[in-house]
Amino acid sequence: MKKSVFLGALTVAGLSAGAAAAGTLDDVKARGTLNCGVTTGLVGFAAPDANGVWEGFDVGVCRAVAAAVLGDSTAVEFVPTTGKTRFTALASGEIDMLARNTTWTFSRDVDLKFEFTGVNYYDGQGFMVPSGLGVSSAKEVDGATVCIQTGTTTELNLADYFRSNNMNYEPVPIETNAEAQQQYLAGACDVYTTDASGLAATRAAFEAPGDHVVLPEIVSKEPLGPLVRHGDNDWGDIVRWTLNALIAAEELGVTSANINEMAAGTENPEINRLLGTEGTLGEMLGLSADWAKNAVAAGGNYGEVFAKNIGEDTPIGLARGLNAQWTEGGLLYAPPFR
């Protein structure tokens, strides 16, 4: 009897979780658009262009998921969120996923009940100061005023770093990156701290980027990636494997230029499974056979999305570094498509 009750409880739990997961995918399909939470504006990662069209590295993940699910990379409603509002928007169902340079941490995963579906950028917290300040190390800013976004991991990291180095600081709390830029340039704070990639993006938007320097210290690990709600197991699989598809496509040499040719069939079984000419991977996700092909075609593979939005040939000028493929000494590594 106890065994029957236990198994029954497992069945109910499984059905509840399945219903919740199916609900998100069904809602997105019924709505015909993906509601994707992004930052309020960080050039290179997520920001509207002069015509109001959102573009950027994180935007590329949203568009890839929309293409995988709906076959249309433009079928995305971008919802700007701040460090404080992003988690409420996801938990409440206002957005289907969050792709907002958000750090994967224990408490966000376990306590806030979110599921991170991978890492699309390996980062670390840094510091930027005006070059006129004459500072070459973060250890020289004792007593400084520091602009910091509230509701972020950078608040805790900042406190830890200054305490461990027996230094003091005066926080200048800000809500958005735009506000941070304004306050920093106005001299309201001596230092601006956030993820190093965010500092590079912010500095690139200045009229005189050379008047500001990003200090060499990286004081934390910031694995940034997309996330969904706990319980959305099937939906989480879709977001996770869409990101993996972009990463795997780069490793396998699948690009936006050759994808149609490769989709006709190759001698590499994994490419064929990825692009849907062999196997039933799409069916397992509840998507069409060409879901991954559509995701990669939306903006290119991971390397193409990186190069176009934040790479060394852009004003932001980020090197691949840790975000290179594992075959090139980086940390990018997609599980097998089989």
Short mmCIF file of all heavy atoms in Angstrom, two decimals, residues 233-266:
data_model
loop_
_atom_site.label_atom_id
_atom_site.label_comp_id
_atom_site.label_asym_id
_atom_site.label_seq_id
_atom_site.Cartn_x
_atom_site.Cartn_y
_atom_site.Cartn_z
N ASN A 233 10.57 21.81 -17.11
CA ASN A 233 11.64 20.92 -17.57
C ASN A 233 11.74 20.84 -19.09
O ASN A 233 12.84 20.93 -19.65
CB ASN A 233 11.44 19.52 -16.99
CG ASN A 233 11.42 19.53 -15.47
OD1 ASN A 233 10.42 19.90 -14.87
ND2 ASN A 233 12.51 19.15 -14.85
N ASP A 234 10.62 20.66 -19.75
CA ASP A 234 10.65 20.56 -21.21
C ASP A 234 11.07 21.88 -21.85
O ASP A 234 11.85 21.90 -22.81
CB ASP A 234 9.27 20.15 -21.75
CG ASP A 234 8.89 18.73 -21.35
OD1 ASP A 234 9.78 17.99 -20.90
OD2 ASP A 234 7.70 18.38 -21.47
N TRP A 235 10.57 22.97 -21.30
CA TRP A 235 10.93 24.29 -21.81
C TRP A 235 12.41 24.57 -21.55
O TRP A 235 13.12 25.11 -22.39
CB TRP A 235 10.06 25.37 -21.17
CG TRP A 235 10.37 26.76 -21.64
CD1 TRP A 235 10.89 27.77 -20.92
CD2 TRP A 235 10.19 27.27 -22.97
NE1 TRP A 235 11.05 28.90 -21.69
CE2 TRP A 235 10.62 28.61 -22.96
CE3 TRP A 235 9.72 26.72 -24.16
CZ2 TRP A 235 10.59 29.42 -24.09
CZ3 TRP A 235 9.67 27.52 -25.30
CH2 TRP A 235 10.12 28.85 -25.26
N GLY A 236 12.87 24.18 -20.36
CA GLY A 236 14.29 24.34 -20.05
C GLY A 236 15.16 23.57 -21.02
O GLY A 236 16.22 24.04 -21.43
N ASP A 237 14.72 22.38 -21.41
CA ASP A 237 15.47 21.58 -22.40
C ASP A 237 15.58 22.32 -23.73
O ASP A 237 16.63 22.31 -24.37
CB ASP A 237 14.78 20.24 -22.63
CG ASP A 237 14.99 19.26 -21.49
OD1 ASP A 237 15.91 19.48 -20.68
OD2 ASP A 237 14.23 18.28 -21.41
N ILE A 238 14.50 22.98 -24.14
CA ILE A 238 14.50 23.69 -25.41
C ILE A 238 15.50 24.85 -25.39
O ILE A 238 16.30 25.02 -26.32
CB ILE A 238 13.08 24.20 -25.74
CG1 ILE A 238 12.18 23.02 -26.11
CG2 ILE A 238 13.11 25.23 -26.87
CD1 ILE A 238 10.71 23.38 -26.25
N VAL A 239 15.47 25.64 -24.32
CA VAL A 239 16.40 26.78 -24.23
C VAL A 239 17.84 26.28 -24.11
O VAL A 239 18.75 26.80 -24.76
CB VAL A 239 16.02 27.68 -23.04
CG1 VAL A 239 17.02 28.84 -22.90
CG2 VAL A 239 14.60 28.24 -23.21
N ARG A 240 18.04 25.24 -23.30
CA ARG A 240 19.38 24.68 -23.10
C ARG A 240 19.97 24.15 -24.40
O ARG A 240 21.11 24.45 -24.77
CB ARG A 240 19.32 23.54 -22.07
CG ARG A 240 20.65 22.82 -21.86
CD ARG A 240 20.52 21.69 -20.85
NE ARG A 240 20.06 22.19 -19.56
CZ ARG A 240 18.82 22.01 -19.08
NH1 ARG A 240 17.93 21.34 -19.80
NH2 ARG A 240 18.49 22.51 -17.92
N TRP A 241 19.19 23.36 -25.12
CA TRP A 241 19.73 22.72 -26.33
C TRP A 241 19.79 23.66 -27.52
O TRP A 241 20.56 23.43 -28.45
CB TRP A 241 18.96 21.43 -26.63
CG TRP A 241 19.40 20.37 -25.67
CD1 TRP A 241 18.79 19.97 -24.51
CD2 TRP A 241 20.62 19.63 -25.75
NE1 TRP A 241 19.54 19.03 -23.87
CE2 TRP A 241 20.67 18.79 -24.60
CE3 TRP A 241 21.68 19.58 -26.66
CZ2 TRP A 241 21.73 17.92 -24.36
CZ3 TRP A 241 22.74 18.70 -26.41
CH2 TRP A 241 22.76 17.89 -25.28
N THR A 242 19.03 24.76 -27.46
CA THR A 242 19.20 25.78 -28.49
C THR A 242 20.54 26.47 -28.32
O THR A 242 21.28 26.68 -29.29
CB THR A 242 18.06 26.82 -28.41
OG1 THR A 242 16.80 26.17 -28.68
CG2 THR A 242 18.26 27.93 -29.45
N LEU A 243 20.89 26.81 -27.08
CA LEU A 243 22.22 27.38 -26.82
C LEU A 243 23.30 26.38 -27.20
O LEU A 243 24.29 26.75 -27.85
CB LEU A 243 22.35 27.77 -25.34
CG LEU A 243 23.73 28.26 -24.88
CD1 LEU A 243 24.18 29.47 -25.67
CD2 LEU A 243 23.71 28.57 -23.38
N ASN A 244 23.12 25.12 -26.83
CA ASN A 244 24.10 24.09 -27.20
C ASN A 244 24.22 23.95 -28.71
O ASN A 244 25.32 23.67 -29.23
CB ASN A 244 23.71 22.74 -26.59
CG ASN A 244 24.02 22.66 -25.11
OD1 ASN A 244 24.92 23.32 -24.61
ND2 ASN A 244 23.27 21.85 -24.38
N ALA A 245 23.13 24.13 -29.43
CA ALA A 245 23.16 24.03 -30.89
C ALA A 245 24.06 25.10 -31.49
O ALA A 245 24.82 24.85 -32.44
CB ALA A 245 21.75 24.14 -31.46
N LEU A 246 23.99 26.31 -30.94
CA LEU A 246 24.85 27.40 -31.44
C LEU A 246 26.32 27.08 -31.17
O LEU A 246 27.18 27.33 -32.02
CB LEU A 246 24.47 28.73 -30.77
CG LEU A 246 23.03 29.22 -30.91
CD1 LEU A 246 22.89 30.61 -30.28
CD2 LEU A 246 22.60 29.26 -32.37
N ILE A 247 26.59 26.55 -29.98
CA ILE A 247 27.97 26.21 -29.61
C ILE A 247 28.49 25.05 -30.45
O ILE A 247 29.60 25.09 -30.99
CB ILE A 247 28.05 25.89 -28.11
CG1 ILE A 247 27.71 27.13 -27.27
CG2 ILE A 247 29.43 25.36 -27.74
CD1 ILE A 247 27.52 26.86 -25.79
N ALA A 248 27.67 24.01 -30.58
CA ALA A 248 28.08 22.83 -31.36
C ALA A 248 28.27 23.17 -32.83
O ALA A 248 29.19 22.66 -33.48
CB ALA A 248 27.04 21.72 -31.20
N ALA A 249 27.42 24.03 -33.35
CA ALA A 249 27.51 24.41 -34.77
C ALA A 249 28.88 25.02 -35.06
O ALA A 249 29.50 24.71 -36.09
CB ALA A 249 26.40 25.39 -35.13
N GLU A 250 29.36 25.88 -34.17
CA GLU A 250 30.68 26.47 -34.39
C GLU A 250 31.76 25.39 -34.39
O GLU A 250 32.63 25.37 -35.28
CB GLU A 250 31.00 27.52 -33.33
CG GLU A 250 32.37 28.17 -33.57
CD GLU A 250 32.80 29.13 -32.49
OE1 GLU A 250 32.27 29.08 -31.36
OE2 GLU A 250 33.70 29.96 -32.79
N GLU A 251 31.71 24.50 -33.42
CA GLU A 251 32.71 23.44 -33.33
C GLU A 251 32.69 22.55 -34.58
O GLU A 251 33.74 22.13 -35.08
CB GLU A 251 32.46 22.58 -32.09
CG GLU A 251 33.46 21.44 -31.96
CD GLU A 251 33.14 20.49 -30.82
OE1 GLU A 251 32.33 20.86 -29.93
OE2 GLU A 251 33.69 19.37 -30.82
N LEU A 252 31.50 22.30 -35.11
CA LEU A 252 31.34 21.40 -36.26
C LEU A 252 31.50 22.09 -37.60
O LEU A 252 31.41 21.46 -38.65
CB LEU A 252 29.97 20.73 -36.18
CG LEU A 252 29.75 19.79 -34.98
CD1 LEU A 252 28.28 19.42 -34.86
CD2 LEU A 252 30.63 18.56 -35.10
N GLY A 253 31.73 23.41 -37.57
CA GLY A 253 31.93 24.15 -38.82
C GLY A 253 30.66 24.50 -39.56
O GLY A 253 30.70 24.81 -40.76
N VAL A 254 29.54 24.48 -38.85
CA VAL A 254 28.25 24.86 -39.46
C VAL A 254 28.06 26.36 -39.27
O VAL A 254 28.07 26.86 -38.14
CB VAL A 254 27.08 24.10 -38.81
CG1 VAL A 254 25.75 24.54 -39.44
CG2 VAL A 254 27.27 22.60 -38.95
N THR A 255 27.90 27.09 -40.36
CA THR A 255 27.76 28.55 -40.31
C THR A 255 26.48 28.99 -41.00
O THR A 255 25.82 28.20 -41.67
CB THR A 255 28.95 29.24 -40.99
OG1 THR A 255 28.86 29.01 -42.41
CG2 THR A 255 30.28 28.69 -40.46
N SER A 256 26.17 30.27 -40.85
CA SER A 256 24.99 30.80 -41.53
C SER A 256 25.17 30.77 -43.04
O SER A 256 24.19 30.75 -43.79
CB SER A 256 24.72 32.24 -41.06
OG SER A 256 25.86 33.06 -41.29
N ALA A 257 26.42 30.73 -43.50
CA ALA A 257 26.69 30.73 -44.95
C ALA A 257 26.56 29.34 -45.57
O ALA A 257 26.13 29.21 -46.72
CB ALA A 257 28.10 31.27 -45.21
N ASN A 258 26.90 28.29 -44.81
CA ASN A 258 26.89 26.95 -45.41
C ASN A 258 25.79 26.04 -44.87
O ASN A 258 25.72 24.86 -45.22
CB ASN A 258 28.24 26.27 -45.22
CG ASN A 258 28.57 25.96 -43.75
OD1 ASN A 258 27.70 25.89 -42.90
ND2 ASN A 258 29.85 25.77 -43.46
N ILE A 259 24.92 26.58 -44.00
CA ILE A 259 23.97 25.72 -43.32
C ILE A 259 22.98 25.03 -44.25
O ILE A 259 22.63 23.87 -44.06
CB ILE A 259 23.23 26.49 -42.19
CG1 ILE A 259 22.50 25.50 -41.28
CG2 ILE A 259 22.29 27.55 -42.76
CD1 ILE A 259 22.02 26.12 -39.99
N ASN A 260 22.55 25.73 -45.30
CA ASN A 260 21.61 25.10 -46.23
C ASN A 260 22.26 23.94 -46.98
O ASN A 260 21.64 22.88 -47.19
CB ASN A 260 21.06 26.13 -47.21
CG ASN A 260 20.09 27.10 -46.56
OD1 ASN A 260 19.37 26.73 -45.63
ND2 ASN A 260 20.07 28.34 -47.03
N GLU A 261 23.51 24.14 -47.35
CA GLU A 261 24.25 23.07 -48.02
C GLU A 261 24.43 21.88 -47.09
O GLU A 261 24.21 20.72 -47.49
CB GLU A 261 25.61 23.60 -48.47
CG GLU A 261 26.49 22.56 -49.15
CD GLU A 261 27.88 23.09 -49.47
OE1 GLU A 261 28.09 24.31 -49.34
OE2 GLU A 261 28.74 22.28 -49.85
N MET A 262 24.80 22.15 -45.84
CA MET A 262 25.02 21.06 -44.89
C MET A 262 23.72 20.36 -44.52
O MET A 262 23.71 19.16 -44.20
CB MET A 262 25.74 21.56 -43.65
CG MET A 262 27.20 21.90 -43.89
SD MET A 262 28.13 21.97 -42.34
CE MET A 262 29.82 21.97 -42.97
N ALA A 263 22.63 21.10 -44.52
CA ALA A 263 21.34 20.52 -44.16
C ALA A 263 20.85 19.52 -45.21
O ALA A 263 19.93 18.74 -44.94
CB ALA A 263 20.29 21.62 -43.97
N ALA A 264 21.47 19.53 -46.37
CA ALA A 264 21.13 18.55 -47.40
C ALA A 264 21.74 17.19 -47.10
O ALA A 264 21.42 16.19 -47.75
CB ALA A 264 21.60 19.05 -48.77
N GLY A 265 22.64 17.15 -46.09
CA GLY A 265 23.26 15.90 -45.70
C GLY A 265 24.77 15.96 -45.81
O GLY A 265 25.31 16.52 -46.77
N THR A 266 25.46 15.40 -44.81
CA THR A 266 26.92 15.37 -44.81
C THR A 266 27.38 13.96 -44.41
O THR A 266 26.56 13.09 -44.10
CB THR A 266 27.51 16.38 -43.80
OG1 THR A 266 27.29 15.88 -42.46
CG2 THR A 266 26.86 17.75 -43.94
#
